[in-house]
């Protein structure tokens, strides 16, 4: 209704994009984000949300461009740093990913998801000691989602086992399996 009455309203297109995304209409969501950004190219949150949608669709190069645009407009945007870091990690650009994920943790230190993602990049970079500390930091935040906590337990157990600390890994595998009893990899690694 708002778009019908005010077709040049970028916020209305942005909000419609989110509604399309929640409804599972990804192309319509992408079209609405693109229109919002055409109308307001300096909309950092629009770039970040569009990037998230593209990342969910494995369109990483396009997502990276959107996250970078968001950060040019708002350099202290923690979510954009986190999502850019995750996209870069998926592209095999581990050092760049670590840099952005470290920035995300610095900007939002009380967020379990930020610590988890940073830990994951550190582990990929071979810095298992720091990864262990970041997985533990993720678990120390009660506000983390159950999925993040479950994944953090599993990845922490893997990092501890990799460090020769199998006895410390066992309770973390068990915690992950309490949350996801059908997790074959966790059963395998625990065994």
């Amino acid at each position: 209704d708002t778009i019908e009455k005010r077709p040049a309203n970028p916020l209305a297109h942005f909000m419609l994009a989110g509604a399309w995304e929640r409804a599972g209409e990804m192309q319509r969501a992408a079209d609405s984000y693109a229109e919002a950004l055409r109308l307001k190219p300096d909309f950092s949150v629009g770039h970040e949300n569009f990037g998230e949608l593209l990342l969910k669709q494995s369109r990483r190069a396009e997502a990276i461009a959107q996250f970078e645009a968001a950060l040019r407009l708002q350099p202290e945007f923690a979510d954009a740093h986190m999502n850019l870091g995750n996209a870069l990690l998926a592209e095999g650009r581990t050092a760049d990913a670590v840099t952005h994920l470290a920035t995300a943790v610095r900007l939002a230190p009380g967020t379990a998801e930020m610590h988890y993602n940073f830990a994951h990049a550190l582990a990929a970079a071979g810095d298992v000691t720091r990864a262990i500390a970041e997985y533990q930091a993720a678990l120390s935040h009660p506000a983390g989602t159950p999925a993040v906590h479950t994944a953090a337990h599993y990845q922490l157990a893997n990092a501890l086992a990799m460090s020769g600390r199998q006895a410390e890994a066992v309770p973390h595998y068990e915690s992950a399996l309490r949350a996801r009893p059908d997790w074959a990899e966790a059963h395998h690694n625990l065994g």
Side-chain angles (χ1 to χ4, degrees), residues 79-156:
D79 285 347
H81 279 288
M82 180 186 71
N83 287 317
L84 176 56
N86 289 337
L88 292 168
L89 187 60
E91 288 287 300
R93 296 172 54 189
T94 307
D96 293 333
V98 166
T99 299
H100 283 284
L101 290 163
T103 301
V105 166
R106 179 182 57 78
L107 295 170
T111 308
E113 187 176 10
M114 300 292 184
H115 287 282
Y116 173 80
N117 287 303
F118 183 35
H120 198 62
L122 289 168
D127 192 345
V128 178
T129 302
R130 284 178 61 204
I132 289 169
E134 288 299 323
Y135 286 128
Q136 290 169 331
L139 290 169
S140 73
H141 293 290
T145 65
V148 168
H149 280 156
T150 300
H153 276 295
Y154 175 73
Q155 295 296 350
L156 174 57

Side-chain angles (χ1 to χ4, degrees), residues 6-15 32 35-37 39-40 43:
R6 294 182 183 249
N9 182 328
L11 185 57
H13 288 280
F14 172 78
M15 298 302 289
S32 292
E35 181 62 10
L37 292 169
L39 293 167
K40 185 171 175 50
F43 190 6

